[in-house]
Amino acid sequence: MKNISILGGGWLGLPLGKQLAKKHQVKISTTSENKLTLFSEAGLHPFLLEVPSTNTIQTNAFFNDCDVLIITIPPNRKNSEALEYVAKMNWIIAQAEKHQIKQIVYTSSTSVYDGLENEVNETAFLKEDNLRAKEIIINEENLLKNVNFNATILRLGGLFGEERHPVKFLAKKEVNENGNEPVNMLHLYDAIEAISTLIEKPIKNEIYNLVYPQYDTREVFYKKAAQVLNLSLADFNIVENPKNRKVSSEKFQNTFQFTFKHF
């Protein structure tokens, strides 16, 4: 049994915490006081915690006695030249150092591959084409170069599940774009299973992609989802020179003998 702290009890963090709590002691943070009871009822140890936080008591209690810190806090959807997401991660890193946490898992994003074409893997040279990708890349580098702990970076594809599927947003549009471009998606259940598999072994300084290894076009993927959810979709435009980026998860599959099951 390990003592695990999940920083970010959101759409991924909460179900992940529930799964890990079957075998481990799990602390989980939230910025919403309304969620504290929900988390407790799920068998988790909740903490009301901002990042960064000025509440020393809550901060110390959350980070103390932590075997594995899992960071699931996403970047701000709004662009900020102040690099606020990097500042948040620097505070988290400082807490990890202070509390002598030796193993960290960071849920990154395949958005770092923006601007690249064809099949890409973890060795690809990244372009930092936008601020969000730049912030994520900086955070990855700061975690990996820190000698006080080991950090595994998980670059997640477009996360979806039964309760939150992007096809619901597309159903509201009059026209859907880029129908012949491939999708790089990851089901919530596969993300949870992959992280659960990962933490059973010692965390190493590694980067892994997590994307379902089937690259339907946007049109095929979303029409399948719309049929399952009984939604109507507008037609898809076909672009003359489609982006053909396909993110490979072969490294994670081979390292952990992992099979993606949900798409």
Side-chain angles (χ1 to χ4, degrees):
M1 178 181 291
K2 296 181 179 180
N3 293 322
I4 298 171
S5 293
I6 300 177
L7 193 57
W11 192 67
L12 170 61
L14 176 55
L16 173 63
K18 290 180 179 179
Q19 177 66 23
L20 296 180
K22 296 177 181 178
K23 295 178 62 176
H24 306 284
Q25 293 288 331
V26 179
K27 299 176 184 177
I28 188 166
S29 77
T30 178
T31 59
S32 174
E33 190 170 356
N34 296 332
K35 292 184 178 180
L36 295 176
T37 300
L38 173 66
F39 288 3
S40 293
E41 291 174 348
L44 308 173
H45 302 281
F47 288 80
L48 190 64
L49 191 66
E50 297 279 350
V51 175
S53 174
T54 57
N55 188 325
T56 304
I57 295 176
Q58 281 286 93
T59 299
N60 289 341
F62 178 80
F63 287 102
N64 273 341
D65 300 320
C66 175
D67 298 316
V68 183
L69 172 64
I70 302 176
I71 306 168
T72 67
I73 297 177
N76 196 322
R77 291 184 178 273
K78 297 180 181 179
N79 284 340
S80 170
E81 295 299 333
L83 297 180
E84 294 176 3
Y85 190 43
V86 174
K88 288 183 178 181
M89 186 61 67
N90 287 340
W91 180 83
I92 296 168
I93 289 173
Q95 297 306 316
E97 293 173 343
K98 175 182 176 182
H99 296 277
Q100 300 182 2
I101 298 173
K102 299 303 181 183
Q103 301 186 90
I104 295 178
V105 177
Y106 172 50
T107 57
S108 180
S109 168
T110 55
S111 63
V112 298
Y113 298 118
D114 282 356
L116 302 184
E117 293 289 334
N118 303 314
E119 182 171 295
V120 295
N121 61 27
E122 295 82 355
T123 64
F125 179 80
L126 306 179
K127 291 187 174 183
E128 300 185 15
D129 275 357
N130 58 68
L131 181 62
R132 179 171 178 173
K134 180 179 179 180
E135 287 196 298
I136 294 173
I137 293 167
I138 292 172
N139 285 342
E140 290 185 356
E141 291 173 347
N142 287 342
L143 287 165
L144 290 172
K145 73 182 182 183
N146 195 298
V147 299
N148 295 290
F149 49 72
N150 286 337
T152 291
I153 311 299
L154 297 177
R155 292 174 176 166
L156 275 56
L159 199 61
F160 73 100
E162 284 76 6
E163 295 182 5
R164 191 171 80 175
H165 200 296
V167 73
K168 295 178 181 179
F169 298 99
L170 268 62
K172 301 175 183 179
K173 295 186 176 182
E174 295 182 0
V175 177
N176 290 303
E177 305 292 339
N178 308 331
N180 54 332
E181 292 184 351
V183 295
N184 294 277
M185 305 298 289
L186 176 67
H187 196 286
L188 175 65
Y189 293 163
D190 279 334
I192 292 170
E193 186 63 28
I195 297 171
S196 300
T197 299
L198 172 71
I199 67 166
E200 293 304 319
K201 296 185 177 182
I203 299 300
K204 299 180 180 179
N205 275 344
E206 291 284 356
I207 300 174
Y208 297 102
N209 296 326
L210 289 183
V211 173
Y212 190 91
Q214 176 178 319
Y215 308 103
D216 282 348
T217 63
R218 283 172 52 82
E219 182 175 19
V220 170
F221 175 77
Y222 286 113
K223 282 188 173 180
K224 285 180 180 177
Q227 187 174 13
V228 171
L229 297 173
N230 197 27
L231 296 173
S232 296
L233 285 183
D235 290 336
F236 282 79
N237 285 339
I238 304 301
V239 293
E240 185 175 348
N241 296 305
K243 296 178 181 177
N244 195 38
R245 182 172 64 250
K246 298 177 180 178
V247 180
S248 171
S249 295
E250 186 174 345
K251 180 180 176 181
F252 190 88
Q253 291 174 276
N254 291 342
T255 301
F256 296 97
Q257 299 301 300
F258 185 81
T259 301
F260 292 85
K261 299 176 182 178
H262 304 277
F263 194 62

